[in-house]
Amino acid sequence: AFGITIEDTQLRLWLSNCALLAVTEPINFFENFDGVISLFYALGFASASSAVKELGWDPTVERIHDGEVFQYKFTIEDEVFTTTRELAPYGADSMVGRGTRVYEAMDAEGKKVAIKDSWREAGCQSEGEILKNILASCEKKLQLDELANAKRHFIGIQLWQDVAINDTRDETPMVAEEHNRTWVSINLNPTLSTKQHLSSKGNVPDSGQLSALFSTQLGIIAHKIPCRVHTRTVIHDVGVALKDVTSLADNLTCLSGALMALYCLHKAGWVHCDFSVGNTIWVGGAGKLGDFEYAKEIGSDTSNDVRMGTMHFMAVEVESQSYIFFPHHACHLDRPSFRMNFLHDIESIWWAFTWIFFYNTDMDTTNIDHSFDAHAQLKEYHKAFPGTVGQTSRHHFFLYTGRKELENLLTKIWL
């Protein structure tokens, strides 16, 4: 989508399309009359041309009013789904990335489903295709009871489809380097605003997105601007994300289900790469694992963007992009290039478990004997979950917080 900002007499044109964020050099709109008139003329008359898509308009979605709020109708493979509420819209807060939005919806027969709308990188498989391949691996490598557990604890995907506009796949345009453009790098060390930013759905506790700044801190710098493909996925299972489950017993049961899902996934030869409390779902008394967009088969060289885990739940080796834990006899050997493995997924479970205890408060026992120390809990929470990549407090918390010390901390918070 295009946008215009005006500061004093300086006008800039912006372009944001999930693949890149670009801005023109400023022009003085008091002096450059021809340029300003041409710009607004082009934008105003784009609706009658194919350029409407590039302005951010999506003709494949119908906006309706149900008497109280606005909802949306999606047509996916000739089936019509009407949204009833937003489940996870905060993925679209980042101007560059997959722009994922998730809605609860009803099909034509009144059955409840979830609709995921996102932009994957061209050349990467859709989540539906990845899960289909995972299940095929499970059928080959798992016992019958294990296969049943995999199907029970993986989310179920009903269908998926790339969005097409005027019979053409909806994708971001390729930015060719040979075009006559002068590219100016954006400052990677900006002075950030001190004003509080609210996401489109309140404060998201799992700090979901890796920004371009975090990618550079991780040593993962994109060498090209990717082409992204607009895709929609219909999911059978609609439940409550683990981060929103309020019962400790349900939290732990949900985590147990997710751990079973990872067991089956790993035995089938795959790594999830993005476990978090946002993609583990509590459905009908069972924990289910979702968000397979970044899952990789062991030995695969597929990049699947740069996502290597959600910040709060990222394994410390993944955060550093290097191996830290070696057998003593291997300390002097050359270290291999870093690859994510099964243990990194399991460590993410540990971080999720820790997050549950430090982020939540037991309201039934709080302040009964005035022993609860909210300040101490918040202090320890920020040590473990500082909210930015590369903080030594998180690494230190994982490596050097002893079992007894952790038990004492949890006793002060929960008992």
Side-chain angles (χ1 to χ4, degrees), residues 64-308:
I64 61 174
H65 194 269
D66 65 0
E68 296 182 2
V69 295
F70 285 101
Q71 301 293 354
Y72 304 95
K73 278 190 175 182
F74 294 96
T75 300
I76 305 172
E77 289 194 352
D78 299 324
E79 293 190 42
V80 178
F81 302 90
T82 304
T83 64
T84 54
R85 64 186 178 104
E86 293 179 329
L87 292 177
Y90 51 81
D93 284 349
S94 177
M95 300 191 75
V96 177
R98 296 206 170 199
T100 302
R101 290 183 173 92
V102 184
Y103 301 90
E104 180 183 275
M106 306 287 282
D107 65 13
E109 299 177 354
K111 181 183 176 182
K112 188 184 295 185
V113 297
I115 305 291
K116 179 185 285 189
D117 183 278
S118 64
W119 294 76
R120 74 177 189 277
E121 189 171 331
C124 293
Q125 293 181 316
S126 66
E127 182 179 10
E129 292 170 318
I130 292 172
L131 184 55
K132 180 181 177 181
N133 292 336
I134 290 172
L135 288 172
S137 297
C138 289
E139 290 177 355
K140 292 178 181 178
K141 300 179 180 180
L142 270 57
Q143 302 295 326
L144 289 179
D145 59 332
E146 295 171 330
L147 179 60
N149 277 329
K151 292 180 177 180
R152 172 174 168 77
H153 294 289
F154 292 167
I155 61 158
I157 292 182
Q158 180 175 329
L159 55 91
W160 63 92
Q161 183 182 49
D162 290 342
V163 176
I165 298 177
N166 297 327
D167 298 323
T168 302
R169 190 168 73 167
D170 189 17
E171 57 187 30
T172 61
M174 293 294 294
V175 180
E177 294 182 357
E178 62 268 16
H179 286 188
N180 186 24
R181 297 187 180 95
T182 300
W183 294 96
V184 180
S185 297
I186 295 175
N187 179 17
L188 291 180
N189 295 293
T191 301
L192 300 178
S193 171
T194 58
K195 294 181 179 179
Q196 184 180 11
H197 167 70
L198 297 178
S199 70
S200 55
K201 196 66 174 180
N203 181 33
V204 182
D206 67 355
S207 296
Q209 316 308 317
L210 282 177
S211 70
L213 295 181
F214 294 137
S215 299
T216 58
Q217 289 176 11
L218 286 172
I220 310 170
I221 302 175
H223 295 287
K224 64 182 180 67
I225 297 173
C227 172
R228 291 191 176 274
V229 179
H230 194 184
T231 188
R232 294 194 179 115
T233 306
V234 181
I235 300 168
H236 288 299
D237 302 300
V238 181
V240 180
L242 179 60
K243 66 184 179 65
D244 297 319
V245 176
T246 57
S247 162
L248 178 59
D250 290 347
N251 265 291
L252 299 181
T253 304
C254 188
L255 266 182
S256 176
L259 190 59
M260 174 58 72
L262 286 180
Y263 167 81
C264 297
L265 186 71
H266 294 166
K267 191 169 182 181
W270 289 73
V271 184
H272 188 270
C273 297
D274 188 28
F275 181 88
S276 79
V277 296
N279 55 33
T280 303
I281 312 298
W282 181 240
V283 185
K288 292 178 178 281
L289 182 62
D291 287 1
F292 291 93
E293 294 103 325
Y294 297 94
K296 296 180 183 180
E297 197 166 9
I298 288 296
S300 169
D301 293 323
T302 304
S303 65
N304 277 19
D305 295 345
V306 300
R307 183 64 162 271
M308 297 289 280

